[in-house]
Amino acid sequence: MDLEFSGEIWFWRGPAPWYFVTVPDEHCPALEDASAQVSYGWGMIPVTARIGTTGWTTSLFPKDGRYIVPVKAVVRRAEKLDAGDTVTVRLNVDA
């Protein structure tokens, strides 16, 4: 499954701070269906992600009935991104 969407990068200041992009509502039902086949636990979905020219492997986190994409520091540095920036995210769900 391949997805592409735009969203705003946001910062979570939890015990381990991270930056995320929220997957839009319209893509979440298909991801939830796929999670039954690909999740390795807790609803986490392994994906290959890309923003701009930078790609990485990660897992989507389920949150409040939706999914969020963690954006690693190396990606933010390479693409010169920060919280509040709107980005186009490309995802490939790893089967």
Side-chain angles (χ1 to χ4, degrees), residues 11-25:
F11 179 70
W12 182 66
R13 190 184 309 265
W18 268 95
Y19 291 78
F20 296 94
V21 176
T22 302
V23 176
D25 287 334

PDB file of all heavy atoms in Angstrom, residues 11-25:
ATOM      1  N   PHE A  11       5.496  18.925  17.341  1.00  0.00           N
ATOM      2  CA  PHE A  11       6.456  18.499  18.357  1.00  0.00           C
ATOM      3  C   PHE A  11       5.724  17.943  19.562  1.00  0.00           C
ATOM      4  O   PHE A  11       4.769  18.549  20.045  1.00  0.00           O
ATOM      5  CB  PHE A  11       7.314  19.697  18.774  1.00  0.00           C
ATOM      6  CG  PHE A  11       8.324  19.388  19.842  1.00  0.00           C
ATOM      7  CD1 PHE A  11       9.416  18.594  19.591  1.00  0.00           C
ATOM      8  CD2 PHE A  11       8.171  19.918  21.117  1.00  0.00           C
ATOM      9  CE1 PHE A  11      10.352  18.317  20.570  1.00  0.00           C
ATOM     10  CE2 PHE A  11       9.096  19.655  22.116  1.00  0.00           C
ATOM     11  CZ  PHE A  11      10.187  18.856  21.843  1.00  0.00           C
ATOM     12  N   TRP A  12       6.169  16.783  20.032  1.00  0.00           N
ATOM     13  CA  TRP A  12       5.644  16.200  21.263  1.00  0.00           C
ATOM     14  C   TRP A  12       6.756  16.203  22.292  1.00  0.00           C
ATOM     15  O   TRP A  12       7.805  15.617  22.081  1.00  0.00           O
ATOM     16  CB  TRP A  12       5.137  14.779  21.014  1.00  0.00           C
ATOM     17  CG  TRP A  12       4.554  14.160  22.238  1.00  0.00           C
ATOM     18  CD1 TRP A  12       3.426  14.549  22.894  1.00  0.00           C
ATOM     19  CD2 TRP A  12       5.065  13.048  22.965  1.00  0.00           C
ATOM     20  NE1 TRP A  12       3.202  13.737  23.981  1.00  0.00           N
ATOM     21  CE2 TRP A  12       4.211  12.803  24.046  1.00  0.00           C
ATOM     22  CE3 TRP A  12       6.174  12.229  22.807  1.00  0.00           C
ATOM     23  CZ2 TRP A  12       4.411  11.782  24.958  1.00  0.00           C
ATOM     24  CZ3 TRP A  12       6.378  11.211  23.713  1.00  0.00           C
ATOM     25  CH2 TRP A  12       5.499  11.002  24.778  1.00  0.00           C
ATOM     26  N   ARG A  13       6.527  16.873  23.401  1.00  0.00           N
ATOM     27  CA  ARG A  13       7.550  17.072  24.421  1.00  0.00           C
ATOM     28  C   ARG A  13       7.465  16.017  25.517  1.00  0.00           C
ATOM     29  O   ARG A  13       7.672  16.299  26.684  1.00  0.00           O
ATOM     30  CB  ARG A  13       7.389  18.461  25.029  1.00  0.00           C
ATOM     31  CG  ARG A  13       8.506  18.897  25.911  1.00  0.00           C
ATOM     32  CD  ARG A  13       8.226  20.228  26.554  1.00  0.00           C
ATOM     33  NE  ARG A  13       7.834  21.223  25.596  1.00  0.00           N
ATOM     34  CZ  ARG A  13       8.650  22.096  25.037  1.00  0.00           C
ATOM     35  NH1 ARG A  13       9.916  22.104  25.347  1.00  0.00           N
ATOM     36  NH2 ARG A  13       8.192  22.975  24.180  1.00  0.00           N
ATOM     37  N   GLY A  14       7.185  14.790  25.167  1.00  0.00           N
ATOM     38  CA  GLY A  14       7.069  13.723  26.162  1.00  0.00           C
ATOM     39  C   GLY A  14       8.402  13.409  26.802  1.00  0.00           C
ATOM     40  O   GLY A  14       9.372  14.142  26.638  1.00  0.00           O
ATOM     41  N   PRO A  15       8.467  12.311  27.515  1.00  0.00           N
ATOM     42  CA  PRO A  15       9.716  11.924  28.164  1.00  0.00           C
ATOM     43  C   PRO A  15      10.851  11.760  27.147  1.00  0.00           C
ATOM     44  O   PRO A  15      12.001  12.009  27.454  1.00  0.00           O
ATOM     45  CB  PRO A  15       9.404  10.592  28.843  1.00  0.00           C
ATOM     46  CG  PRO A  15       7.957  10.344  28.656  1.00  0.00           C
ATOM     47  CD  PRO A  15       7.391  11.392  27.774  1.00  0.00           C
ATOM     48  N   ALA A  16      10.494  11.352  25.931  1.00  0.00           N
ATOM     49  CA  ALA A  16      11.455  11.305  24.829  1.00  0.00           C
ATOM     50  C   ALA A  16      10.871  12.179  23.728  1.00  0.00           C
ATOM     51  O   ALA A  16       9.957  11.758  23.025  1.00  0.00           O
ATOM     52  CB  ALA A  16      11.648   9.874  24.343  1.00  0.00           C
ATOM     53  N   PRO A  17      11.335  13.409  23.580  1.00  0.00           N
ATOM     54  CA  PRO A  17      10.714  14.327  22.606  1.00  0.00           C
ATOM     55  C   PRO A  17      10.855  13.826  21.175  1.00  0.00           C
ATOM     56  O   PRO A  17      11.881  13.274  20.803  1.00  0.00           O
ATOM     57  CB  PRO A  17      11.466  15.639  22.815  1.00  0.00           C
ATOM     58  CG  PRO A  17      12.703  15.288  23.547  1.00  0.00           C
ATOM     59  CD  PRO A  17      12.465  14.005  24.270  1.00  0.00           C
ATOM     60  N   TRP A  18       9.786  14.014  20.383  1.00  0.00           N
ATOM     61  CA  TRP A  18       9.751  13.585  18.992  1.00  0.00           C
ATOM     62  C   TRP A  18       8.959  14.577  18.162  1.00  0.00           C
ATOM     63  O   TRP A  18       8.139  15.323  18.684  1.00  0.00           O
ATOM     64  CB  TRP A  18       9.075  12.218  18.867  1.00  0.00           C
ATOM     65  CG  TRP A  18      10.026  11.071  18.933  1.00  0.00           C
ATOM     66  CD1 TRP A  18      10.351  10.344  20.043  1.00  0.00           C
ATOM     67  CD2 TRP A  18      10.777  10.514  17.865  1.00  0.00           C
ATOM     68  NE1 TRP A  18      11.259   9.379  19.721  1.00  0.00           N
ATOM     69  CE2 TRP A  18      11.537   9.458  18.375  1.00  0.00           C
ATOM     70  CE3 TRP A  18      10.886  10.815  16.500  1.00  0.00           C
ATOM     71  CZ2 TRP A  18      12.388   8.697  17.592  1.00  0.00           C
ATOM     72  CZ3 TRP A  18      11.726  10.042  15.726  1.00  0.00           C
ATOM     73  CH2 TRP A  18      12.466   9.005  16.273  1.00  0.00           C
ATOM     74  N   TYR A  19       9.181  14.524  16.863  1.00  0.00           N
ATOM     75  CA  TYR A  19       8.410  15.289  15.892  1.00  0.00           C
ATOM     76  C   TYR A  19       7.585  14.303  15.080  1.00  0.00           C
ATOM     77  O   TYR A  19       8.051  13.207  14.756  1.00  0.00           O
ATOM     78  CB  TYR A  19       9.332  16.076  14.961  1.00  0.00           C
ATOM     79  CG  TYR A  19      10.058  17.201  15.655  1.00  0.00           C
ATOM     80  CD1 TYR A  19      11.160  16.957  16.461  1.00  0.00           C
ATOM     81  CD2 TYR A  19       9.642  18.522  15.501  1.00  0.00           C
ATOM     82  CE1 TYR A  19      11.824  17.986  17.099  1.00  0.00           C
ATOM     83  CE2 TYR A  19      10.310  19.564  16.129  1.00  0.00           C
ATOM     84  CZ  TYR A  19      11.400  19.283  16.928  1.00  0.00           C
ATOM     85  OH  TYR A  19      12.053  20.311  17.550  1.00  0.00           O
ATOM     86  N   PHE A  20       6.365  14.706  14.729  1.00  0.00           N
ATOM     87  CA  PHE A  20       5.442  13.825  14.014  1.00  0.00           C
ATOM     88  C   PHE A  20       4.683  14.593  12.938  1.00  0.00           C
ATOM     89  O   PHE A  20       4.582  15.822  12.989  1.00  0.00           O
ATOM     90  CB  PHE A  20       4.381  13.258  14.972  1.00  0.00           C
ATOM     91  CG  PHE A  20       4.916  12.371  16.042  1.00  0.00           C
ATOM     92  CD1 PHE A  20       5.234  12.874  17.295  1.00  0.00           C
ATOM     93  CD2 PHE A  20       5.093  11.013  15.809  1.00  0.00           C
ATOM     94  CE1 PHE A  20       5.718  12.049  18.301  1.00  0.00           C
ATOM     95  CE2 PHE A  20       5.586  10.174  16.807  1.00  0.00           C
ATOM     96  CZ  PHE A  20       5.895  10.694  18.047  1.00  0.00           C
ATOM     97  N   VAL A  21       4.105  13.833  12.003  1.00  0.00           N
ATOM     98  CA  VAL A  21       3.091  14.323  11.072  1.00  0.00           C
ATOM     99  C   VAL A  21       1.903  13.381  11.227  1.00  0.00           C
ATOM    100  O   VAL A  21       2.076  12.159  11.245  1.00  0.00           O
ATOM    101  CB  VAL A  21       3.586  14.320   9.606  1.00  0.00           C
ATOM    102  CG1 VAL A  21       2.467  14.745   8.663  1.00  0.00           C
ATOM    103  CG2 VAL A  21       4.797  15.218   9.435  1.00  0.00           C
ATOM    104  N   THR A  22       0.709  13.935  11.351  1.00  0.00           N
ATOM    105  CA  THR A  22      -0.498  13.127  11.509  1.00  0.00           C
ATOM    106  C   THR A  22      -1.035  12.726  10.138  1.00  0.00           C
ATOM    107  O   THR A  22      -1.161  13.564   9.242  1.00  0.00           O
ATOM    108  CB  THR A  22      -1.574  13.920  12.279  1.00  0.00           C
ATOM    109  OG1 THR A  22      -1.024  14.302  13.551  1.00  0.00           O
ATOM    110  CG2 THR A  22      -2.825  13.093  12.498  1.00  0.00           C
ATOM    111  N   VAL A  23      -1.350  11.442   9.988  1.00  0.00           N
ATOM    112  CA  VAL A  23      -1.953  10.934   8.763  1.00  0.00           C
ATOM    113  C   VAL A  23      -3.401  11.448   8.704  1.00  0.00           C
ATOM    114  O   VAL A  23      -4.141  11.331   9.688  1.00  0.00           O
ATOM    115  CB  VAL A  23      -1.926   9.391   8.743  1.00  0.00           C
ATOM    116  CG1 VAL A  23      -2.641   8.862   7.501  1.00  0.00           C
ATOM    117  CG2 VAL A  23      -0.485   8.876   8.810  1.00  0.00           C
ATOM    118  N   PRO A  24      -3.824  12.008   7.569  1.00  0.00           N
ATOM    119  CA  PRO A  24      -5.205  12.501   7.459  1.00  0.00           C
ATOM    120  C   PRO A  24      -6.237  11.389   7.657  1.00  0.00           C
ATOM    121  O   PRO A  24      -5.984  10.221   7.343  1.00  0.00           O
ATOM    122  CB  PRO A  24      -5.274  13.053   6.029  1.00  0.00           C
ATOM    123  CG  PRO A  24      -3.855  13.336   5.654  1.00  0.00           C
ATOM    124  CD  PRO A  24      -3.035  12.301   6.368  1.00  0.00           C
ATOM    125  N   ASP A  25      -7.389  11.782   8.164  1.00  0.00           N
ATOM    126  CA  ASP A  25      -8.482  10.843   8.469  1.00  0.00           C
ATOM    127  C   ASP A  25      -8.803   9.896   7.318  1.00  0.00           C
ATOM    128  O   ASP A  25      -9.064   8.720   7.546  1.00  0.00           O
ATOM    129  CB  ASP A  25      -9.767  11.603   8.838  1.00  0.00           C
ATOM    130  CG  ASP A  25      -9.694  12.228  10.212  1.00  0.00           C
ATOM    131  OD1 ASP A  25      -8.947  11.733  11.070  1.00  0.00           O
ATOM    132  OD2 ASP A  25     -10.397  13.239  10.432  1.00  0.00           O
TER     133      ASP A  25
END
